Amino acid sequence: MPASPARPEVLIAEANPWTADLLVQLVLDVRGDAVVNTVTDGHAALARCRRKLPDLLIADGELDGLDGVELLRQVRRHPRTPALPFILISRRTDARSVREAMPLAPTAYLAKPFNAELLRQRLKVLLRGSSEKEPEYKRPALLINDLYEYLDSVREQGQGAPLLDDVRNAVATSLQAHDADLGELEKTFIRDPQITARLIAAANSAAEHVGAPCQTVGQALQRLGIGRCLNLVLGLAVQRNARLSDERLMALSAPLAEAAMRGASLAAWLARRLGLDAELCFTAGLLHNIGDLAVLRSLQDWQDAGGVLSDEQIAAAQKSHSAKFGSALRIRWRLPFGLRELVAAFYGKGSGVFSREALVLNLSAELLRGEPLESVAESRPARMLRLPTGLLEEIPQSLVPPPAAELVSEAQ
């Protein structure tokens, strides 16, 4: 397709919301000014093409109603559409299926799970042309003038936390290594709250859910497989607001990231010593302040769109909206209820019967607040757990902050 300075229109036909979101992010990474429309079945895609042809069509080979190959066949029958770029993504890679599609001249025939990085390189050629400079991306103007109204408006649709800078290089390396084993990927991804939450959510989506819900990165990796996990992480990495550029917001994100890892590691250490599910406690501890990080990302969006952002507003926004953002994310991503309960237990919320893992999270929160060990040993979670004598004194110093450290509260 000839490169054009006009905004390209891209149609994505994909029923799986996680894959659709990845494809949207890849397109926008190449052309930030692209107009991207998504549909979930072949008939809807064909109807859109009949109303107005896109500049590029990306379709799942196994669409409901009208599958990808038949959609391609219908599109190619029209005298105006033979040159329409069409990327077909299918799990049918046998010789017969490929021979059926090749006479219809798909621009690319990709096998599932596809290599998202290679697809991104192909999109650069299709949407921009190899000699063109990337068009300047202009963010839309703000429609709301008040910061706190803006935060309320984006809370339910927010993309979550930014990816943490200290894992970016490791993630970039993993994205190039499709022969990496699950263990190595888990070591890389388990350090980032955003990656952890999104992989667990994707593994528990309607399209993937079989058996017990996934509650840890390890379980999600097993269910999704290496290829799909790498693609989901790439989709996060290429989002335009995935990195904080304001130095004040970056400075705030560092201690939040440290607190997330400390909470995760402490909860896992206690759980391991008590013979409980250490991996699950690690996950809950890692996600306890994802709302704080998500607010920082939305504040960056506000500023990038032209909004004024003072130090006082940053502090007030975190205080007033972190809990709301965290709760909205955990619910919208449909994280397993048991995992959400553990995150809530970090803040002592909820009532009724507490699991021993929930008590570990609550105890971890007390320790991270810098409470004296004598006081923690007499606390309700410590008594209910019946901690062995001297266990608290054995906690590695690296996992417990100085007594003056404070914990930013976030309710379920």
Side-chain angles (χ1 to χ4, degrees), residues 250-262:
M250 291 177 64
L252 288 171
S253 71
L256 287 173
E258 181 182 352
M261 276 302 298
R262 183 174 285 172

Side-chain angles (χ1 to χ4, degrees), residues 18-238:
W18 298 97
T19 303
D21 181 66
L22 166 63
L23 294 171
V24 170
Q25 296 302 332
L26 292 178
V27 169
L28 293 178
D29 181 56
V30 173
R31 282 293 296 256
D33 62 339
V35 177
V36 186
N37 295 301
T38 61
V39 294
T40 59
D41 65 82
H43 288 298
L46 185 59
R48 275 190 173 271
C49 288
R50 285 170 174 168
R51 290 198 301 270
K52 183 180 180 182
L53 283 176
D55 296 296
L56 170 64
L57 202 163
I58 305 174
D60 178 18
E62 288 71 51
L63 291 169
D64 288 339
L66 194 72
D67 67 21
V69 172
E70 186 58 30
L71 173 61
L72 176 58
R73 182 176 290 110
Q74 294 292 332
V75 167
R76 291 292 187 245
R77 284 176 178 172
H78 195 286
R80 294 176 54 200
T81 62
L84 172 66
F86 193 116
I87 296 177
L88 185 63
I89 304 173
S90 176
R91 69 170 60 96
R92 296 197 293 262
T93 57
D94 58 281
R96 179 179 178 181
S97 297
V98 174
R99 284 198 301 269
E100 180 186 7
M102 286 303 102
L104 303 173
T107 308
Y109 190 108
L110 306 181
K112 294 180 181 178
F114 59 91
N115 184 316
E117 178 58 32
L118 294 179
L119 175 56
R120 182 168 62 159
Q121 297 304 319
R122 178 67 65 92
L123 291 173
K124 286 182 179 180
V125 176
L126 291 172
L127 294 176
R128 204 163 64 224
S130 57
S131 62
E132 269 193 275
K133 294 182 179 179
E134 183 176 358
E136 182 180 355
Y137 176 65
K138 295 182 179 180
R139 291 185 178 273
L142 288 169
L143 299 178
I144 299 175
N145 294 323
D146 180 82
L147 171 61
Y148 307 106
E149 288 184 18
Y150 169 80
L151 291 174
D152 285 334
S153 71
V154 301
R155 182 179 67 228
E156 300 299 330
Q157 293 80 35
Q159 293 175 306
L163 294 185
L164 304 179
D165 281 341
D166 66 343
V167 301
R168 283 183 173 277
N169 291 337
V171 167
T173 300
S174 297
L175 291 174
Q176 302 299 322
H178 275 255
D179 58 346
D181 62 49
L182 291 177
E184 289 303 312
L185 288 180
E186 184 175 359
K187 291 177 184 177
T188 300
F189 296 158
I190 202 172
R191 296 162 53 198
D192 191 287
Q194 176 78 348
I195 292 174
T196 293
R198 291 296 291 268
L199 290 182
I200 292 173
N204 288 314
S205 67
E208 302 295 335
H209 186 63
V210 287
C214 291
Q215 300 192 86
T216 67
V217 168
Q219 294 168 358
L221 284 168
Q222 289 287 346
R223 181 168 293 177
L224 294 171
I226 291 177
R228 293 198 61 193
C229 286
L230 289 174
N231 285 349
L232 287 167
V233 173
L234 178 60
L236 294 175
V238 301

